[in-house]
Amino acid sequence: MQHNKVLILDFGSQYTQLIARRVRELNILSEIHPFNKIPLNIEDYKAVILSGSPNSVRGEDALHPDLSKIRGHKPLLAVCYGAQYLAHFSGGEVAPSNTREYGRANLSFVDDLDPFFSTISKGSQVWMSHSDTIKVLPTNAVLLASTHDVENAAYKIEGEQTYAIQFHPEVYHSTDGKQLLENFLVNIANLDQDWTPDSFVDETVQDLKDQLKKDKVVLGLSGGVDSSVAAMLLHKAIGENLYCIFVNNGLLRKNEYQSVLDQYQGMGLNVKGVDASARFLDALAGLSDPELKRKAIGRVFIEVFDDEAHQIEDVKWLAQGTIYPDVIESVSATGGPSATIKSHHNVGGLPDFMKLKIVEPLKALFKDEVRRVGASMNMDKALLGRHPFPGPGLAIRILGDITPEKVRILQEVDAVFIDNLKKWNLYDSVWQAGAILLPVNSVGVMGDERTYEKCVALRAVESTDGMTADWVNLPYEFLQKTSNEIINKVKGVNRVVYDISSKPPATIEWE
């Protein structure tokens, strides 16, 4: 089935991925490409959106797209920088704002007779983020909307299906932004809303059958959402010719290795569990530097995975759980290389001696879409809702060197924390949670005895994609009970703290 596709030309905006996600929420397929790498098959795209940019159209570093095959030929929506670009280089004028126009604003004028604004009311809140402003509209432009501070907030070009807006419809703060995108894509560009999880599953399974035929494929399962959904798609396509390997690096959550392995086997997957925990812990002995720990884990994973893959006769493909943000982030909006293959998040790079072709069934999906695809295949909700977990596991949540005793302590602490989040019905409202073992001892008193034991930090954040995150304001009663339970049950811990840092400036993980 050939879907309608929307081409999003990226000028380096921090919001470009949001545009793509909002379009896809309308069940319309969208793709992001750098502004200077317009696809040769431009005829396959039914509409085009120009993103914002940190650059100024007035500067010597202004970014110039080739719109010769787009403008006047296809429905075009220009957002922020795109709107200024069309004005500045098409007979209008863009000048510096007297003040930086940033944050919430309300539409003071709307031309609701135009189909673009037909469902948007005067007073609708929009989000501004720009330091230039459009003083004079381009040739043949008609004003469609204004705010109190920005007269030329939206316009269209007569004789074309070209629309331009100075604000960002893709961000949450533009309350009618999704409706505006729907007006443009459905009512003006006449795109069908047929990009659904069910259609993705059907088409991807058929594509995998055509691509792989009777070839054998090996896949490293991590217990996470991406690799699990990728495995189910491949299993639907090639069945027993998919060979899954689930490696225990000794740094998983408490009892997770066996429980996840049992879950995979219950899903009908052809999976082999490999307990290499001793091998990983030996390689980590004495290492404290976070990067050295990551490299050691990556190296051992490659060795273990390669040993297992070589036991499968005539395997030709390596499957990876690469998702769309990984592909996008390997593309530069300012003229960098085109999309490159992501290194497997557990492998850390495919070794030269493993000569396999790559298959990536999820490379067109965002994380939330991966979950919806999994749900359409009736996968376990607990598996699909599992929090992200770092590839190096607890190694980067144990600050300093790694020992079996430290792993035991952190597994016990983490289990109390995660179990309590689930008991208190807080787990699903948290994007990621975990415990960190700090490289300090502190004085405490238990009974009549003085103790000098470990301190642990608890971390819980809310986010949509991990790029930014806020700490979660967990109830004091929950923190009190969880802290008491950790200190009473986990031998070696006498102090618990809660991390209230957001990202940025902090990161989600401590290493």
Side-chain angles (χ1 to χ4, degrees):
M1 178 179 178
Q2 184 65 42
H3 290 281
N4 297 146
K5 285 197 295 186
V6 176
L7 171 63
I8 300 169
L9 293 182
D10 181 22
F11 294 88
S13 169
Q14 62 178 321
Y15 300 135
T16 302
Q17 285 196 31
L18 275 180
I19 300 175
R21 292 176 66 165
R22 293 293 175 264
V23 171
R24 288 171 178 224
E25 286 173 5
L26 296 169
N27 294 328
I28 297 172
L29 179 58
S30 61
E31 291 181 2
I32 297 172
H33 290 265
F35 75 95
N36 58 351
K37 294 187 181 296
I38 297 174
L40 296 176
N41 58 331
I42 188 67
E43 66 278 359
D44 291 346
Y45 298 88
K46 305 303 181 186
V48 179
I49 299 176
L50 308 182
S51 83
S53 175
N55 296 64
S56 169
V57 297
R58 300 179 299 104
E60 292 182 1
D61 60 349
L63 309 178
H64 294 276
D66 178 5
L67 301 179
S68 59
K69 296 182 179 180
I70 296 173
R71 186 173 167 185
H73 301 283
K74 295 179 180 295
L76 174 64
L77 174 61
V79 176
C80 198
Y81 179 90
Q84 293 175 357
Y85 183 87
L86 293 184
H88 191 63
F89 294 103
S90 301
E93 180 187 349
V94 174
S97 304
N98 293 328
T99 59
R100 190 165 191 266
E101 293 164 347
Y102 184 84
R104 294 174 177 85
N106 295 95
L107 297 177
S108 57
F109 160 72
V110 171
D111 181 357
D112 56 11
L113 295 179
D114 190 276
F116 190 48
F117 279 101
S118 60
T119 56
I120 312 297
S121 302
K122 178 181 174 181
S124 177
Q125 180 178 286
V126 297
W127 182 262
M128 296 287 186
S129 181
H130 55 98
S131 53
D132 289 342
T133 195
I134 300 170
K135 293 291 188 183
V136 179
L137 293 177
T139 304
N140 295 327
V142 177
L143 182 66
L144 293 180
S146 305
T147 70
H148 291 292
D149 297 320
V150 181
E151 179 183 2
N152 297 314
Y155 64 87
K156 70 175 181 180
I157 305 295
E158 288 190 312
E160 303 176 16
Q161 287 183 307
T162 298
Y163 288 78
I165 50 179
Q166 183 60 82
F167 54 89
H168 289 269
E170 68 273 22
V171 302
Y172 171 78
H173 306 293
S174 289
T175 51
D176 293 313
K178 185 176 177 180
Q179 181 63 56
L180 200 67
L181 289 171
E182 183 171 2
N183 289 349
F184 172 72
L185 295 170
V186 178
N187 300 338
I188 295 170
N190 294 316
L191 272 67
D192 295 325
Q193 295 173 278
D194 57 7
W195 170 251
T196 65
D198 287 343
S199 69
F200 178 85
V201 171
D202 292 342
E203 292 160 32
T204 300
V205 168
Q206 187 57 54
D207 288 345
L208 290 170
K209 288 179 178 179
D210 295 341
Q211 180 183 19
L212 302 173
K213 299 181 174 60
K214 296 187 180 298
D215 289 352
K216 293 181 180 179
V217 178
V218 63
L219 167 66
L221 287 169
S222 68
V225 175
D226 299 339
S227 66
S228 301
V229 174
M232 284 305 295
L233 286 167
L234 285 157
H235 177 69
K236 279 179 168 288
I238 61 173
E240 290 296 305
N241 278 341
L242 172 65
Y243 292 78
C244 299
I245 298 171
F246 181 41
V247 176
N248 180 14
N249 59 11
L251 301 161
L252 302 173
R253 288 183 153 130
K254 183 180 179 181
N255 300 326
E256 188 171 49
Y257 172 61
Q258 192 58 52
S259 64
V260 172
L261 185 60
D262 291 344
Q263 189 173 29
Y264 280 141
Q265 290 170 337
M267 291 160 60
L269 294 176
N270 178 18
V271 58
K272 179 180 181 180
V274 181
D275 187 354
S277 50
R279 191 166 168 180
F280 280 90
L281 291 173
D282 285 347
L284 287 166
L287 298 182
S288 297
D289 180 84
E291 190 58 26
L292 293 178
K293 289 193 286 188
R294 288 176 184 273
K295 287 181 177 178
I297 292 168
R299 184 189 73 251
V300 176
F301 189 93
I302 287 172
E303 293 169 357
V304 173
F305 190 83
D306 188 60
D307 288 346
E308 296 300 325
H310 272 98
Q311 294 180 32
I312 307 168
E313 292 184 6
D314 300 323
V315 64
K316 294 183 179 179
W317 297 83
L318 171 71
Q320 293 187 309
T322 308
I323 61 176
Y324 195 43
D326 303 318
V327 175
I328 298 168
E329 286 160 13
S330 66
V331 181
S332 168
T334 52
S338 58
T340 55
I341 302 282
K342 172 203 176 193
S343 297
H344 190 285
H345 65 280
N346 275 338
V347 175
L350 188 64
D352 292 338
F353 52 82
M354 191 187 287
K355 304 296 184 183
L356 300 176
K357 293 180 283 187
I358 304 292
V359 58
E360 298 168 305
L362 304 178
K363 66 181 180 182
L365 300 183
F366 288 103
K367 175 73 86 173
D368 53 335
E369 293 173 319
V370 173
R371 288 192 167 97
R372 288 199 291 271
V373 165
S376 77
M377 294 189 290
N378 297 315
M379 292 177 64
D380 189 337
K381 289 182 180 178
L383 177 61
L384 296 177
R386 182 172 289 152
H387 289 176
F389 190 67
L394 299 180
I396 60 170
R397 294 182 179 174
I398 297 173
L399 306 194
D401 67 321
I402 311 295
T403 66
E405 174 64 6
K406 289 181 180 178
V407 173
R408 179 200 67 78
I409 290 174
L410 189 56
Q411 284 179 331
E412 296 287 346
V413 171
D414 181 86
V416 172
F417 185 30
I418 299 301
D419 287 349
N420 280 355
L421 285 172
K422 292 177 179 177
K423 289 176 185 174
W424 285 59
N425 293 319
L426 294 168
Y427 185 84
D428 291 336
S429 62
V430 172
W431 191 75
Q432 184 170 336
I436 299 93
L437 184 64
L438 305 183
V440 294
N441 284 24
S442 68
V443 174
V445 177
M446 291 186 176
D448 294 325
E449 296 184 6
R450 175 184 182 275
T451 62
Y452 190 58
E453 294 180 331
K454 294 293 182 186
C455 173
V456 294
L458 305 183
R459 180 85 159 129
V461 299
E462 51 189 4
S463 179
T464 55
D465 52 18
M467 301 298 290
T468 61
D470 288 323
W471 62 279
V472 178
N473 191 2
L474 295 173
Y476 285 138
E477 294 82 3
F478 168 84
L479 291 172
Q480 181 184 39
K481 288 185 180 295
T482 300
S483 173
N484 287 342
E485 190 174 341
I486 289 170
I487 291 170
N488 288 330
K489 288 186 176 181
V490 183
K491 184 180 178 181
V493 175
N494 69 355
R495 191 175 299 270
V496 177
V497 299
Y498 186 54
D499 182 349
I500 58 170
S501 311
S502 295
K503 177 186 178 182
T507 52
I508 295 176
E509 299 293 344
W510 280 43
E511 287 191 342

